[in-house]
Amino acid sequence: MNVHVGESAHTSSPLHGRKVLSFVRRSARLDARLQRAIDNYGSDYILSDIAANDESLDPAERFSFTQSYIEKHWGNVNPLTVEIGSGQGENVVAAAAAHPERNFLALEVYDPGVAHTVLLAGKQGLTNIRIAKINAPELFAAMDAGVADEVWTFFPDPWPKMRHHKRRIVQPELASDVHNALRKGGVWRIATDIEDYALHVHEVMDALPDFKNLGELTVSLPTEHVGKGNADVAAELPHADFTESARFDGRVLTNFEKKGLAAGRVIHDFTYQAV
């Protein structure tokens, strides 16, 4: 199973006083092609004034993501879509190319993913996308109310082991900050190809009174969680019906999603509207 490296952010829920990360900290050297992309296009796309310093993945102490900040860095006040965990950038760059009337912000913590997103955007000369190497939950906590039109979280790290489920990015704390950042009527789009993660999303999001599930499809899911060691028993567990969305047509079909479909995994799409 693909572990979705580079397509994750993290949740900042404390565990015994420590931050609980939904990604594994690692360093990676850029190959020559990606380094050239950073050298040639990095200053056009990377927001370097958010993080506390070059080594930090957290925003500076007094940083605030405001409408004025958007106008300063995008040059307009067009509707903003924020992708949490943009990975290699295929989705967000394709969307930015298809919708020049909208602004896009890609959040990614891994250098190769940041660089590849810069490369894709730079090759097309896009002007409506920016990239931040930053912890998503901390950035959303620093956002003013109503600055975002949509938030995307596609195929986040599933953390399949039961003891790691607390590391999953979709958590009530992040949902609260996403709701604050969204304009009234804005949506959080989520997708996963992991059945147990789909159950996790329903448990977190369907219970929140300030989000409305806009789904129109009925799917059957186990009502008990399974982990990496006992996922094979999921079919034998009690099931219940849940409401989900049709596939979001604004998401390009990446090689990652194709591999999941080829492996027989079902894609679960969610659309939650801020109310």
Side-chain angles (χ1 to χ4, degrees):
M1 181 173 62
N2 191 305
V3 295
H4 303 233
V5 170
E7 297 198 3
S8 59
H10 86 281
T11 176
S12 56
S13 301
L15 177 65
H16 304 304
R18 294 182 290 110
K19 186 182 293 183
V20 178
L21 300 179
S22 75
F23 60 89
V24 178
R25 289 183 180 273
R26 58 169 61 93
S27 59
R29 298 179 67 88
L30 300 181
D31 62 27
R33 180 182 63 123
L34 294 181
Q35 187 58 57
R36 283 196 302 272
I38 292 294
D39 295 340
N40 293 335
Y41 307 121
S43 60
D44 295 330
Y45 294 107
I46 298 175
L47 299 175
S48 57
D49 58 349
I50 296 179
N53 55 63
D54 291 343
E55 303 301 319
S56 177
L57 292 175
D58 293 337
E61 184 177 352
R62 297 183 180 178
F63 176 79
S64 183
F65 192 93
T66 64
Q67 201 67 48
S68 295
Y69 183 87
I70 296 172
E71 189 169 4
K72 173 184 175 182
H73 287 278
W74 277 263
N76 58 63
V77 291
N78 292 340
L80 175 69
T81 294
V82 184
E83 183 172 24
I84 298 174
S86 52
Q88 299 298 303
E90 299 99 322
N91 280 306
V92 70
V93 172
H99 296 281
E101 77 285 359
R102 299 179 65 87
N103 293 331
F104 293 85
L105 173 60
L107 306 182
E108 179 54 55
V109 296
Y110 294 110
D111 288 330
V114 171
H116 196 263
T117 306
V118 168
L119 176 63
L120 294 179
K123 278 185 172 181
Q124 300 182 65
L126 301 180
T127 60
N128 60 333
I129 181 173
R130 300 292 182 270
I131 303 149
K133 184 184 175 185
I134 204 74
N135 286 333
E138 275 75 10
L139 181 59
F140 273 92
M143 285 188 176
D144 271 6
V147 295
D149 185 65
E150 292 197 5
V151 176
W152 296 351
T153 308
F154 298 145
F155 306 103
D157 195 317
W159 290 99
K161 294 181 179 179
M162 292 281 282
R163 68 176 185 272
H164 290 158
H165 286 184
K166 62 183 175 291
R167 295 180 179 270
R168 291 172 169 176
I169 183 68
V170 177
Q171 301 290 345
E173 296 85 352
L174 177 59
S176 176
D177 289 330
V178 167
H179 183 273
N180 175 70
L182 284 171
R183 65 167 178 82
K184 183 179 179 180
V187 297
W188 187 4
R189 302 186 188 277
I190 304 170
T192 181
D193 61 350
I194 304 299
E195 187 176 66
D196 191 76
Y197 204 110
L199 176 62
H200 172 82
V201 171
H202 284 295
E203 288 178 339
V204 172
M205 298 299 298
D206 291 349
L208 299 176
D210 48 3
F211 276 102
K212 179 182 179 182
N213 187 337
L214 297 183
E216 66 285 343
L217 304 178
T218 299
V219 301
S220 179
L221 292 172
T223 55
E224 299 176 24
H225 284 285
V226 296
K228 191 172 184 179
N230 66 337
D232 56 337
V233 306
E236 304 169 10
L237 295 173
H239 280 55
D241 288 342
F242 296 86
T243 301
E244 297 180 2
S245 294
R247 187 184 185 280
F248 174 45
D249 59 10
R251 187 176 76 245
V252 299
L253 187 61
T254 63
N255 286 332
F256 176 84
E257 188 170 352
K258 290 177 183 177
K259 289 179 182 177
L261 291 170
R265 293 198 289 272
V266 175
I267 309 300
H268 300 265
D269 270 77
F270 310 84
T271 309
Y272 289 97
Q273 184 178 54
V275 296

